[in-house]
């Protein structure tokens, strides 16, 4: 039976920028239908409500996050549902040592549950590391491991890719990745290749969610772009690796479904001064995201 799909997709983007006082992140953005919109440009200041920005042609930019525009996409190609989906979560998120409510989700379902990835299947990812600065590749691996522990999500590295980031990346690319949702794309890139990184924006990250009709939404794929030249300039500073790691973790936080918060102690704050990694609020949010529903139907 051919289901009419009421497809809702949002790509959530966060730009980041180095400021004199430390790092600042742009605001997450929500755009419609599998498109990533432009970042805030040269950011930013503390967290705030993003403006609508410049819509990408063919896409509708929405603000503030988290919102999304339902779009009819009955003709959209989708992979067979339930690939690798198990009855139970594959892993267990690490319970945070300290309780905290200092977290926000980019999107929630009507029952209040956060929109995240199904924990009952592995989250595959590929890395375009052609432009990765010397010594920076391992920072992605380390960051993925941190996210996996915090969410219980099992990640599988599918290897390198030549796929370039795109503002309208299809979530299903059968020729490139087979009969499944495309893997999460982590790309070391440049502002020339990825105009969202122009100016002081150093990274963007977000995921695409999917639902049937008005049903619950889940992320099916995502992308994360890192400004390789900019990070290369900073990584040799004494704290350069820590800052780069903070950028990657922050963007992965968006990929998993976290929004910015007002608490400057959290990594999901719009700026960071000292790159200490995830704090209690971030970890509690990731813990909840790790308990998203299983989705045999997607
Ligand atoms: Zn951000």
């Amino acid at each position: 039976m051919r289901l009419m799909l009421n497809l809702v997709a949002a790509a959530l983007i966060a730009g980041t920028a180095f400021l004199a006082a430390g790092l600042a992140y742009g605001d997450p953005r929500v755009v419609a239908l599998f498109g990533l919109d432009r970042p805030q440009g040269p950011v930013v200041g503390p967290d705030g409500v993003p403006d609508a920005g410049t819509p990408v042609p063919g896409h509708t930019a929405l603000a503030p996050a988290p919102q999304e525009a339902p779009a009819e996409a009955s003709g959209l190609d989708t992979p067979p549902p339930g690939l690798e989906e198990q009855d139970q979560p594959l892993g267990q998120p690490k319970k945070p040592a300290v309780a905290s409510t200092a977290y926000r989700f980019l999107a929630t379902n009507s029952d209040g549950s956060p929109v995240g990835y199904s924990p009952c299947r592995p989250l595959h990812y590929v890395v375009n590391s052609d432009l990765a600065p010397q010594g920076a590749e391992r920072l992605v691996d380390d960051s993925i491991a941190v996210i996996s522990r915090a969410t219980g999500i099992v990640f599988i590295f599918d290897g390198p890719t030549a796929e370039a980031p795109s503002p309208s990346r299809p979530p299903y690319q059968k020729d490139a990745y087979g009969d499944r949702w495309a893997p999460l794309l982590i790309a070391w890139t440049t502002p020339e290749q990825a105009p969202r990184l122009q100016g002081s924006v150093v990274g963007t990250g977000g995921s695409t969610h999917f639902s049937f009709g008005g049903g619950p939404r889940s992320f099916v794929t995502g992308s994360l772009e890192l400004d390789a030249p900019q990070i290369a300039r900073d990584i040799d500073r004494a704290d350069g690796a820590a800052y780069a790691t903070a950028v990657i973790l922050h963007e992965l936080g968006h990929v998993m479904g976290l929004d910015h918060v007002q608490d400057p102690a959290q990594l999901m704050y719009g700026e960071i001064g000292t790159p200490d990694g995830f704090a209690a609020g971030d970890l509690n949010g990731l813990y909840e995201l790790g308990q998203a529903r299983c989705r045999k139907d997607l």
Side-chain angles (χ1 to χ4, degrees), residues 6-87:
N6 180 13
L7 189 79
V8 180
L12 309 157
I13 286 300
T16 63
F18 283 99
L19 296 185
L23 281 180
Y25 299 105
D27 298 302
R29 314 296 291 280
V30 179
V31 301
L33 200 57
F34 297 137
L36 307 180
D37 76 343
R38 297 169 194 280
Q40 286 256 100
V43 192
V44 8
D47 194 42
V49 176
D51 64 22
T54 306
V56 174
H59 299 87
T60 305
L62 300 174
Q67 296 176 5
E68 74 288 329
E72 292 295 333
S74 56
L76 190 99
D77 234 6
T78 58
L83 186 68
E84 298 183 301
E85 184 81 15
Q86 305 299 310
D87 293 328

Side-chain angles (χ1 to χ4, degrees), residues 7 39 53 67 74 77 84 88 91 123 133 140 145-146 148 155 171 181 199 226 236 242 255 266 272 289:
L7 189 79
Q67 296 176 5
S74 56
D77 234 6
E84 298 183 301
Q88 301 294 329
L123 176 47
V140 171
V146 170
S148 183
F155 287 78
W181 294 109
L226 298 165
D236 289 332
V255 166
Q266 309 303 319
I272 54 170
L289 284 162

Side-chain angles (χ1 to χ4, degrees), residues 14-15 25-26 28 250-251 254 260 268:
Y25 299 105
H250 179 101
E251 303 304 344
H254 286 316
H260 286 165
M268 296 314 295

Side-chain angles (χ1 to χ4, degrees), residues 96 110 117 126 174 196 241:
S110 55
Y117 283 91
V126 291
K174 190 174 181 179
R196 294 188 291 275

Side-chain angles (χ1 to χ4, degrees), residues 17-228:
F18 283 99
L19 296 185
L23 281 180
Y25 299 105
D27 298 302
R29 314 296 291 280
V30 179
V31 301
L33 200 57
F34 297 137
L36 307 180
D37 76 343
R38 297 169 194 280
Q40 286 256 100
V43 192
V44 8
D47 194 42
V49 176
D51 64 22
T54 306
V56 174
H59 299 87
T60 305
L62 300 174
Q67 296 176 5
E68 74 288 329
E72 292 295 333
S74 56
L76 190 99
D77 234 6
T78 58
L83 186 68
E84 298 183 301
E85 184 81 15
Q86 305 299 310
D87 293 328
Q88 301 294 329
L90 304 183
Q92 287 298 319
K94 185 175 190 298
K95 189 149 180 67
V98 178
S100 169
T101 58
Y103 58 86
R104 289 176 61 212
F105 300 118
L106 283 162
T108 54
N109 290 304
S110 55
D111 63 358
S113 64
V115 176
Y117 283 91
S118 167
C120 304
R121 72 178 69 180
L123 176 47
H124 292 259
Y125 69 103
V126 291
V127 181
N128 185 335
S129 56
D130 292 349
L131 300 176
Q134 185 86 26
E137 265 187 277
R138 68 174 176 83
L139 303 181
V140 171
D141 299 334
D142 295 348
S143 299
I144 290 281
V146 170
I147 287 282
S148 183
R149 278 195 298 274
T151 59
I153 298 281
V154 172
F155 287 78
I156 294 180
F157 177 47
D158 283 357
T161 183
E163 184 184 357
S166 164
S168 55
R169 182 178 189 243
Y172 175 38
Q173 304 177 44
K174 190 174 181 179
D175 290 346
Y177 297 115
D179 219 0
R180 57 173 176 146
W181 294 109
L184 165 66
L185 171 64
I186 298 174
W188 292 93
T189 184
T190 66
E192 290 71 37
Q193 285 184 356
R196 294 188 291 275
L197 295 173
Q198 280 173 3
S200 55
V201 175
V202 72
T204 60
S207 288
T208 298
H209 63 63
F210 185 97
S211 69
F212 292 98
R217 295 164 294 170
S218 289
F219 292 134
V220 291
T221 188
S223 62
L224 196 165
E225 300 169 359
L226 298 165
D227 187 332

